[in-house]
Amino acid sequence: HGVPRVRGGHPEQREPGGGWGEPGGRPGDGYGSVTGPRNGAPASFAPPSPSGPVSPSGPASPFPRQRQAPGEGPRQDYLDAFGADGDVFAVRPRGRTPGAARPADPYASVTDWSAADGGASGGGGIPGGAEADADDEPPTGEPAPVKGARGRTFTGIAAAAVTTVLAVVVAGQVADGSDGSDMRAQSATDQARGAHDPASRDDERPTPSASASAKPLTYEQKMGKTYPLGATLKASGKFDAVPGIAKGTGKGQKYTYRIDVEQGLGLDGGLFAEAVQKTLNDDRSWAHNGARTFERVESGQPDFVITLASPGTTAEWCAKSGLDTTEDNVSCDSAATQRVMINAYRWAQGAAPYGDAIHAYRQMLINHEVGHRIGYNHVTCDKDGELAPVMQQQTKFVDHDGIDCRPNAWAYPNG
């Protein structure tokens, strides 16, 4: 309608020709030194003069113009323009109705709570929730500080505490010679793994065990080891039968036997039983050419009982057949009883003529004592360099009467 378009800008922007009475303004009626609408705005919206004259286009403005120093908060005339019930500069949750009870917001920052809020109570911080909220009162005097100042103080304190803790952690890592790269690498690895793998292990990814890297010893390895046992040990004198049975070759004369191990030896009874069965049924042993077969049982009445016992107990059982095993600490076939006695000290430690060949010595020990049980007596070698007969007392000696023999564990060493 012929009125110049309103020019934008901040309400307090000073510029020539505005409605603030600045020099160079356009003169007008009823506005003191400045008249007319500011920047071409309608007269009804022009800012009033300090004296509040009547506007050319209407009655006197109810909002007297007040100058205010910078930094003193919002102008009072702007506060008054929005009425006594509204504080447009107060921070409120979106969509909140003044005076209404505020439900607790579980997601609100705890640092925004203050004594005026009453924490998370349902009555807006006042018991019963009946009184009006302090935020709903009209502003008086100087504008109140924006809510949350105390909360921001608490936030600053918390941030300072966290910074202090982080500084201590970093200092500890530097003192330890670590820059935290290991932890960062581990964190990155965990994140990458978590994107593809479940939190716990499943059947598709086996859990490593402590014994996975340590493979169990083979029979040969166990038979090549010596084991601790005292030369004068006298154990309990009580025996346990090794459970299980083992069939022989099924050819020739059949012998059944049971394996007993004295309690308290600390030796592997299963290894001893396995060694007896394999040795006796070897073709180099008494089963040569199918002449005999040896079968292990665990109960009933076997033909004999091969017994692993301490030196003291061995001596007791051998004495029942008139044999003295205390000299040279040897074994025996106690012919007056069912027991073929194997001295556990010799089984565990070996004998000097065999040196480190403990496996071969144990085979000789079994073949020698069982040979007595099936009817063979002691013999010796006759020529230098010959293998000693298995019935020679090889625990005591290999060489005799100037004849040098070689150790031998088999009745038929050539097969």
Side-chain angles (χ1 to χ4, degrees):
H1 301 286
V3 179
R5 298 182 66 182
V6 177
R7 181 180 178 186
H10 194 278
E12 290 186 335
Q13 180 177 351
R14 271 64 167 184
E15 59 185 51
W20 300 91
E22 298 295 339
R26 189 173 53 187
D29 298 335
Y31 282 87
S33 61
V34 178
T35 59
R38 180 187 178 196
N39 296 331
S44 59
F45 293 102
S49 67
S51 59
V54 176
S55 172
S57 59
S61 171
F63 311 126
R65 179 178 170 214
Q66 298 179 0
R67 290 192 177 273
Q68 188 168 343
E72 293 182 356
R75 285 172 31 199
Q76 187 62 38
D77 52 348
Y78 277 90
L79 298 178
D80 295 340
F82 289 90
D85 293 336
D87 182 357
V88 295
F89 298 99
V91 178
R92 288 195 184 97
R94 182 178 297 179
R96 178 182 154 200
T97 303
R102 294 177 298 167
D105 184 0
Y107 300 101
S109 172
V110 294
T111 56
D112 288 338
W113 296 352
S114 63
D117 294 336
S121 60
I126 302 176
E131 291 83 352
D133 195 336
D135 287 344
D136 298 327
E137 296 295 331
T140 58
E142 294 295 330
V146 178
K147 285 184 60 181
R150 183 180 302 176
R152 286 192 295 272
T153 301
F154 293 157
T155 303
I157 295 174
V162 171
T163 304
T164 302
V165 172
L166 291 177
V168 172
V169 172
V170 172
Q173 291 177 351
V174 173
D176 292 338
S178 171
D179 60 356
S181 60
D182 293 341
M183 290 187 292
R184 290 193 297 269
Q186 180 180 3
S187 176
T189 302
D190 292 342
Q191 292 176 1
R193 183 177 60 191
H196 304 285
D197 298 343
S200 60
R201 295 183 180 273
D202 54 22
D203 294 337
E204 296 179 358
R205 183 172 54 185
T207 302
S209 62
S211 60
S213 59
K215 295 181 180 179
L217 297 177
T218 64
Y219 169 77
E220 298 291 338
Q221 290 172 330
K222 291 179 182 178
M223 288 293 286
K225 290 170 56 70
T226 58
Y227 302 97
L229 196 137
T232 60
L233 176 65
K234 174 64 169 69
S236 64
K238 298 179 181 179
F239 304 99
D240 291 328
V242 176
I245 61 174
K247 298 291 185 179
T249 59
K251 299 178 181 179
Q253 185 178 355
K254 180 180 179 180
Y255 291 91
T256 60
Y257 69 94
R258 187 180 77 232
I259 295 291
D260 281 1
V261 177
E262 186 177 9
Q263 297 176 358
L265 294 180
L267 297 176
D268 187 347
L271 175 63
F272 178 67
E274 184 179 5
V276 169
Q277 180 68 10
K278 287 183 175 180
T279 300
L280 291 178
N281 286 285
D282 192 294
D283 194 56
R284 295 169 292 176
S285 182
W286 304 116
H288 178 66
N289 285 337
R292 301 173 186 87
T293 182
F294 297 89
E295 181 177 314
R296 179 165 71 91
V297 297
E298 64 179 6
S299 60
Q301 293 297 322
D303 295 318
F304 50 89
V305 178
I306 301 178
T307 306
L308 184 65
S310 64
T313 302
T314 296
E316 287 182 356
W317 279 87
C318 291
K320 295 179 180 182
S321 298
L323 303 173
D324 182 8
T325 60
T326 59
E327 185 178 355
D328 298 321
N329 215 358
V330 295
S331 304
C332 82
D333 169 43
S334 181
T337 70
Q338 277 190 311
R339 297 191 181 275
V340 176
M341 302 301 297
I342 304 297
N343 191 320
Y345 170 73
R346 292 301 181 185
W347 173 265
Q349 293 291 311
Y354 275 77
D356 294 334
I358 184 66
H359 189 172
Y361 174 76
R362 288 168 179 161
Q363 292 169 325
M364 185 279 300
L365 193 58
I366 294 168
N367 282 327
H368 182 91
E369 299 306 335
V370 172
H372 281 308
R373 173 61 60 164
I374 62 177
Y376 291 91
N377 296 318
H378 288 150
V379 295
T380 59
C381 66
D382 298 328
K383 297 178 181 180
D384 287 342
E386 286 186 343
L387 291 174
V390 73
M391 295 309 298
Q392 183 173 317
Q393 294 178 294
Q394 296 182 57
T395 295
K396 296 180 180 181
F397 61 90
V398 174
D399 301 335
H400 70 94
D401 302 326
I403 300 174
D404 295 330
C405 301
R406 292 183 292 148
N408 169 51
W410 303 104
Y412 303 93
N414 297 322

